[in-house]
Amino acid sequence: MYLDNKDDSAISRKVDMELTQASVPHHVDLLGDMAAEPISNNFGELKLLKEMMAVQAEPQKSYPNSVHEPDCCITLGKDFSPLAFHGRYHFSLPKFFCTKSKDSSFTEKTPLLKVSSEENGLRCMAVHNTDFTTDDDSWENSSAEFEQRFHPGSKRTSLSRSASSSEKCEILDTFHGKFSLHKVRCCLRFLKVSGLFIFVVVCSILFSIHPESGMLWQMLAVSPMDSYTINFTNAHDSALLKVELGGPFVADVVDRRPDEFILVQIGQLEDLGPKRRHQQQILHNWTLPLDSKKSEQIIVSRTFEMLNSKENSISVQAFLQESQIVPLSMTYRYLHANVETQVTIASVILAGVYALIIFEIVHRTLAAMLGSLAALATLAVIGDKPSLVKVVEWIDFETLALLFGMMLLVAIFSETGFFDYCAVKAYRLSRGKVWAMIIILCLIAAILSAFLDNVTTMLLFTPVTIRLCEVLNLDPRHVLIAEVIFTNIGGASTAIGDPPNVIIVSKQELRKAGLDFAAFTGHMFVGICLVLLVSFPFLRLLYWNKKLYNKEPSEIVELKHEIHVWRLTAQRINPASREETAVKCLLMQKVLALDMLLRKKLTTFHRQISQEDKNWETNIQELQKKHRITDKILLIKCLTVLGFVILMFFLNSFVPGIHLDLGWIAMLGAMWLLVLANIHDFEMILNRVEWATLLFFAALFVLMEALAHLHLIEYIGEQTASLIKVVPEEQRLTVAIILVLWVSALASSLIDNIPFTATMIPVLLNLSQDPDVNLPVKPLVFSLAMGACLGGNGTLIGASANVVCAGIAEQHGYGFSFMEFFRLGFPMMIMSCTIGMCYLLVSHVVLGWT
């Protein structure tokens, strides 16, 4: 605390302080109360000189030479030593005594203790120490009392035992609290590492002690005249039989009896006695449509539940238009767990992975790897252990190649200064309005993702957004989350914007039903436009109390710190007496005054952030001087290659003559730009590649495929179909649209939407072709597409674009956690799915468009 001296004619007088440890045996309590207890060794002892006593002993006496002696003060620290002031205090020596002042205004520099004394002209005093206060009556006592208190031979006083003991108790409590917290953290860290290590060791042992599953592939030839039958003995602890068959099958025809097909029958042999032949009972029928003229081999598999029987049989027969032989390959194996057990284990594994990611126990990449190891160990235990070649085949290398190629392109592109230039242009376009700029960025991201892949859009947009927020002193995390949400929404509007839509349109069976590129895009585009119209105001509502700025001005930070110090000082005062209560009230008045000042400054600062900046034109000029294109030649090369890559992405869906996947296009574009840019420091470019993100996707692909082998995704589809079948026919279409959309949305927010979409399409086709259900296929497919695309906003790992954005942001130092994304993404997912559901119900139920 400090006091201002407003008397310009006052001449400062030197005050000497002498600190001793043993010479002065007693100490004066500043509140005027005599204490008999000795002072603690943690404090120094104060000795005032005779000049100080003379000032108080003869207050009415004039000084020699008619010179008015000025009022002065000392400021004491915790050790009763003079405090040195630096930095924020702009005076050399704070004052203990001040002359009277007519200025009664109360600001952040207003003195706290005001004393009205006409005898000595003293006005107020201030103490900087937060552990004690001074009684104003003590300075109005007689000179004899003052001399008796401060004279070296006078009776000694000390600080009260309560103040000293409370100070020591606070220090000891703080020390013990920190020490206990440190011990708890060490124990938790030890338990985490030990538990995860034991878990990894157990899974590794289980995976290693079981051999690879299955028998050798058997080659067989079937014809309409001859069938192939094999008898085998069932193991007692086996619950399922998995059969894999390879041949010229037609993958797009599901459970429809075409002209040519293969019939697989699973049966059991009953023993009727020693003199009678075994009788076969058919348990399962499996129909596989084929094209006998095809040479391509397609491997299909199916799992059958087996009864407790000693002998089982597999019969394979061909039904062809011509009498010819069809070559096939087959293998089978027993599984030691039923479907319900496998689904339960898969659900536990998935919940464990999400727990590791949500609570940030480990990095999400390591969490996906641990989940993959647990799923593989489970497959090994039940008898379905895959080989290393099979596990590698589960990884979607096209997606990894797309990510790697685009990361290389963006890494080289960032060397041109183009991202800084785009950030300044976006600020100019928004005319200094932060929310207008955010809406523009989200809208552009949604439009681009409708024609490009979501991952590509975020790879291009994330560096621009981060640089823009750095320039404008905004927090990039909230802006990035909003962008990736609208990227997923915009990607659902076209047939090429999101991978689930690509899978749906590529199905020949759905194309024959009328779901081609134009029909699918036209119907989804209208619904997504309605979702976007509602999403922008809803996003503003979610961000209503969010602090979009990144840093506060230094004056606000210092003011907050000062308020904290005053409030802490007031809380430490125990109002045991009238004087202490008065001091505490004065301190709280000071805190309230500073709070009002802080609110005014924060309101002004928020208004500058949220409303139009009056000096935005000046800021634009300054930003344009700082952030320019650094390499125009490299920029031309990058724009040429990137434009060609984006054009090939778009033409790949329309031109059948282009035999390149998206991954190949991105890799070739990266190689072109590496050659044109003449990159010598190749390691610098590779350091900007998100290797953790690539490894996360690889582990995620293995995890999702292993969960699919554990029948988790298939079980979800079958349960959804069974719920639809039990609904009355009048409400069946309405319930089917609602159920498929929300199941798809929730499932896609938890697991990858690509395998889920591929699994749900056959289920929906079976429902539409079932005469007892009698449902059109288009509303079901649109519900699947709407839920699978919009459901990716539910969690951080619900969509590939979310993970890519989080990885790039983390590399730039602005990583956001699972819960930070969940708090914004999940409400947006609920709202967007609700709007999409209403659109589909109006279109297909109310208007009857099927």
Side-chain angles (χ1 to χ4, degrees):
M1 294 183 285
Y2 58 89
L3 245 292
D4 284 357
N5 183 11
K6 302 183 183 295
D7 190 358
D8 297 334
S9 63
I11 303 174
S12 60
R13 184 167 179 257
K14 183 177 180 181
V15 178
D16 297 332
M17 298 181 63
E18 181 179 357
L19 300 175
T20 62
Q21 299 293 334
S23 61
V24 181
H26 290 80
H27 181 71
V28 179
D29 193 321
L30 292 178
L31 293 176
D33 299 329
M34 300 300 295
E37 299 295 335
I39 191 170
S40 173
N41 292 331
N42 294 333
F43 300 92
E45 297 184 354
L46 178 64
K47 179 180 180 182
L48 297 180
L49 299 179
K50 293 181 179 181
E51 290 83 0
M52 172 68 75
M53 295 185 292
V55 174
Q56 184 66 16
E58 299 176 359
Q60 305 294 335
K61 184 178 180 179
S62 302
Y63 290 97
N65 301 327
S66 300
V67 177
H68 178 70
E69 186 68 13
D71 301 318
C72 56
C73 72
I74 57 173
T75 306
L76 306 179
K78 285 188 175 182
D79 57 351
F80 287 76
S81 61
L83 291 178
F85 289 83
H86 303 284
R88 57 189 298 179
Y89 298 101
H90 305 292
F91 45 85
S92 58
L93 184 64
K95 298 182 177 180
F96 221 136
F97 305 104
C98 275
T99 57
K100 294 181 180 180
S101 176
K102 297 179 181 181
D103 186 10
S104 61
S105 60
F106 199 90
T107 64
E108 68 270 18
K109 292 188 177 182
T110 303
L112 298 177
L113 302 178
K114 298 182 179 180
V115 182
S116 179
S117 176
E118 297 180 356
E119 295 180 356
N120 51 15
L122 299 178
R123 176 174 175 267
C124 58
M125 63 90 193
V127 182
H128 191 80
N129 184 31
T130 60
D131 295 331
F132 69 94
T133 56
T134 309
D135 188 3
D136 50 9
D137 294 335
S138 63
W139 304 106
E140 297 178 357
N141 294 331
S142 63
S143 59
E145 292 177 351
F146 188 91
E147 185 174 0
Q148 181 182 2
R149 291 181 183 183
F150 289 96
H151 196 275
S154 64
K155 189 177 181 178
R156 297 172 299 176
T157 62
S158 65
L159 293 175
S160 63
R161 177 179 295 272
S162 61
S164 177
S165 60
S166 62
E167 178 71 19
K168 291 193 290 184
C169 289
E170 288 182 4
I171 297 175
L172 291 176
D173 290 343
T174 303
F175 174 76
H176 287 301
K178 291 182 178 180
F179 182 72
S180 301
L181 183 61
H182 178 70
K183 289 177 62 177
V184 171
R185 288 178 178 176
C186 291
C187 292
L188 291 177
R189 189 181 301 111
F190 176 77
L191 292 177
K192 181 191 76 172
V193 174
S194 302
L196 291 179
F197 181 73
I198 293 174
F199 173 78
V200 171
V201 170
V202 171
C203 291
S204 302
I205 293 175
L206 293 176
F207 186 76
S208 60
I209 62 178
H210 291 86
E212 291 185 3
S213 59
M215 301 170 59
L216 296 177
W217 284 87
Q218 301 180 12
M219 305 302 297
L220 57 142
V222 295
S223 65
M225 305 300 297
D226 298 324
S227 63
Y228 176 83
T229 303
I230 180 174
N231 298 330
F232 51 90
T233 302
N234 184 17
H236 295 288
D237 58 345
S238 300
L240 299 176
L241 175 66
K242 185 174 183 179
V243 179
E244 294 185 65
L245 206 62
F249 303 115
V250 180
D252 293 327
V253 179
V254 182
D255 285 351
R256 176 176 294 181
R257 297 183 66 87
D259 297 332
E260 297 181 340
F261 61 92
I262 295 292
L263 178 62
V264 180
Q265 293 180 332
I266 308 297
Q268 66 178 6
L269 301 178
E270 296 182 356
D271 191 1
L272 300 179
K275 297 182 179 180
R276 301 181 63 180
R277 300 181 58 183
H278 294 282
Q279 182 178 357
Q280 183 177 9
Q281 180 183 359
I282 303 300
L283 300 177
H284 305 282
N285 288 323
W286 185 19
T287 303
L288 296 171
L290 59 84
D291 186 0
S292 59
K293 297 180 181 179
K294 287 179 59 176
S295 59
E296 182 182 1
Q297 295 286 315
I298 297 177
I299 298 177
V300 293
S301 64
R302 188 169 178 178
T303 305
F304 305 95
E305 292 186 5
M306 303 302 298
L307 301 177
N308 294 327
S309 176
K310 295 182 178 180
E311 276 192 81
N312 295 317
S313 66
I314 300 177
S315 176
V316 182
Q317 187 175 2
F319 294 86
L320 307 174
Q321 293 181 344
E322 300 178 359
S323 179
Q324 56 181 344
I325 297 176
V326 178
L328 300 175
S329 57
M330 185 184 68
T331 185
Y332 63 92
R333 56 182 169 272
Y334 283 111
L335 304 182
H336 308 299
N338 54 25
V339 176
E340 288 76 11
T341 304
Q342 296 183 35
V343 170
T344 302
I345 296 175
S347 302
V348 171
I349 293 174
L350 186 62
V353 172
Y354 268 88
L356 293 177
I357 297 176
I358 290 173
F359 297 106
E360 298 183 359
I361 300 176
V362 295
H363 194 271
R364 59 177 175 270
T365 303
L366 181 57
M369 295 173 65
L370 293 175
S372 302
L373 177 60
L376 292 176
T378 304
L379 290 176
V381 171
I382 67 175
D384 195 14
K385 178 181 178 180
S387 62
L388 180 60
V389 177
K390 193 70 174 178
V391 173
V392 173
E393 290 177 355
W394 291 350
I395 301 176
D396 189 357
F397 285 100
E398 180 182 353
T399 301
L400 297 183
L402 172 65
L403 291 171
F404 180 72
M406 293 304 299
M407 286 177 182
L408 290 178
L409 288 173
V410 172
I412 301 175
F413 209 179
S414 62
E415 297 293 328
T416 62
F418 180 76
F419 297 145
D420 298 349
Y421 177 80
C422 291
V424 176
K425 288 298 180 182
Y427 184 58
R428 173 185 287 274
L429 188 61
S430 64
R431 300 181 63 86
K433 296 180 180 180
V434 175
W435 262 106
M437 180 195 65
I438 294 176
I439 292 176
I440 290 174
L441 290 176
C442 293
L443 185 60
I444 295 176
I447 294 175
L448 284 181
S449 63
F451 302 99
L452 296 177
D453 186 76
N454 295 352
V455 175
T456 305
T457 303
M458 290 313 301
L459 282 170
L460 296 175
F461 253 73
T462 303
V464 177
T465 304
I466 291 176
R467 194 68 194 105
L468 172 62
C469 294
E470 289 176 346
V471 169
L472 301 182
N473 198 26
L474 299 177
D475 189 352
R477 296 175 297 172
H478 301 306
V479 184
L480 289 175
I481 293 175
E483 279 185 1
V484 73
I485 288 173
F486 279 87
T487 298
N488 293 327
I489 294 175
S493 60
T494 63
I496 60 174
D498 219 3
N501 297 354
V502 177
I503 295 174
I504 291 173
V505 176
S506 62
K507 288 291 182 180
Q508 294 293 333
E509 190 72 9
L510 295 177
R511 288 185 179 181
K512 293 178 181 179
L515 280 176
D516 54 359
F517 181 88
F520 183 87
T521 302
H523 189 47
M524 292 290 294
F525 182 79
V526 178
I528 295 302
C529 287
L530 295 176
V531 172
L532 287 175
L533 290 177
V534 183
S535 297
F536 281 111
F538 189 74
L539 178 70
R540 184 67 182 93
L541 182 63
L542 289 177
Y543 277 37
W544 190 263
N545 294 323
K546 293 291 183 182
K547 294 182 179 180
L548 297 179
Y549 50 87
N550 187 29
K551 296 179 181 178
E552 294 177 339
S554 58
E555 57 178 351
I556 294 181
V557 175
E558 291 179 0
L559 189 57
K560 285 184 176 181
H561 177 70
E562 189 173 355
I563 292 173
H564 174 71
V565 172
W566 290 127
R567 182 176 285 112
L568 187 62
T569 303
Q571 291 174 354
R572 289 180 176 178
I573 296 178
N574 184 19
S577 63
R578 179 180 60 83
E579 292 81 5
E580 291 174 334
T581 304
V583 171
K584 187 168 185 177
C585 292
L586 290 174
L587 288 174
M588 294 308 299
Q589 291 179 7
K590 179 76 172 181
V591 171
L592 292 176
L594 293 179
D595 276 333
M596 294 178 61
L597 181 62
L598 176 63
R599 283 195 295 267
K600 292 179 180 179
K601 291 186 177 182
L602 286 177
T603 302
T604 303
F605 182 66
H606 290 166
R607 187 181 298 113
Q608 294 175 355
I609 292 295
S610 60
Q611 298 180 358
E612 181 177 2
D613 187 2
K614 303 301 181 182
N615 301 322
W616 70 274
E617 293 182 351
T618 305
N619 295 337
I620 283 293
Q621 295 177 359
E622 295 178 357
L623 293 175
Q624 286 179 343
K625 294 178 181 179
K626 295 180 181 179
H627 308 286
R628 297 179 178 179
I629 301 297
T630 57
D631 195 337
K632 295 184 179 180
I633 298 178
L634 181 60
L635 176 62
I636 295 174
K637 296 177 181 179
C638 292
L639 289 177
T640 303
V641 175
L642 186 61
F644 180 78
V645 169
I646 294 176
L647 179 63
M648 292 297 295
F649 283 165
F650 185 74
L651 295 179
N652 182 56
S653 302
F654 302 100
V655 181
I658 301 177
H659 302 286
L660 290 176
D661 296 327
L662 298 181
W664 274 115
I665 296 173
M667 289 297 299
L668 292 177
M671 294 178 65
W672 288 8
L673 190 56
L674 286 172
V675 174
L676 290 177
N678 193 19
I679 298 297
H680 295 286
D681 192 358
F682 198 74
E683 292 183 356
M684 179 191 68
I685 302 298
L686 292 180
N687 288 334
R688 297 188 180 182
V689 175
E690 294 290 331
W691 296 107
T693 303
L694 296 178
L695 185 58
F696 172 78
F697 275 108
L700 186 64
F701 290 142
V702 175
L703 173 62
M704 293 304 163
E705 192 67 27
L707 296 181
H709 278 69
L710 291 173
H711 304 91
L712 177 62
I713 302 177
E714 182 182 354
Y715 181 81
I716 296 175
E718 291 178 353
Q719 294 301 315
T720 304
S722 62
L723 289 176
I724 294 175
K725 290 180 180 179
V726 299
V727 177
E729 187 175 358
E730 293 78 9
Q731 296 86 22
R732 186 170 295 165
L733 181 59
T734 303
V735 174
I737 291 175
I738 297 174
L739 194 60
V740 171
L741 188 144
W742 285 106
V743 169
S744 302
L746 295 176
S748 297
S749 64
L750 299 176
I751 59 179
D752 192 7
N753 53 13
I754 296 177
F756 179 79
T757 304
T759 305
M760 284 296 294
I761 288 177
V763 176
L764 299 182
L765 286 173
N766 289 336
L767 283 176
S768 63
Q769 295 166 6
D770 192 344
D772 297 332
V773 178
N774 192 20
L775 286 176
V777 67
K778 287 184 179 180
L780 301 180
V781 173
F782 284 131
S783 301
L784 174 64
M786 193 79 71
C789 295
L790 299 180
N793 289 327
T795 61
L796 180 61
I797 63 176
S800 302
N802 304 352
V803 182
V804 171
C805 179
I808 299 177
E810 185 177 359
Q811 190 182 41
H812 286 78
Y814 301 103
F816 45 87
S817 64
F818 183 95
M819 293 305 299
E820 288 176 338
F821 185 91
F822 181 81
R823 282 192 291 266
L824 297 173
F826 194 78
M828 287 292 294
M829 186 266 286
I830 298 295
M831 186 277 306
S832 58
C833 289
T834 303
I835 301 300
M837 179 190 67
C838 295
Y839 167 72
L840 292 178
L841 290 176
V842 171
S843 300
H844 300 288
V845 178
V846 178
L847 300 179
W849 182 76
T850 56

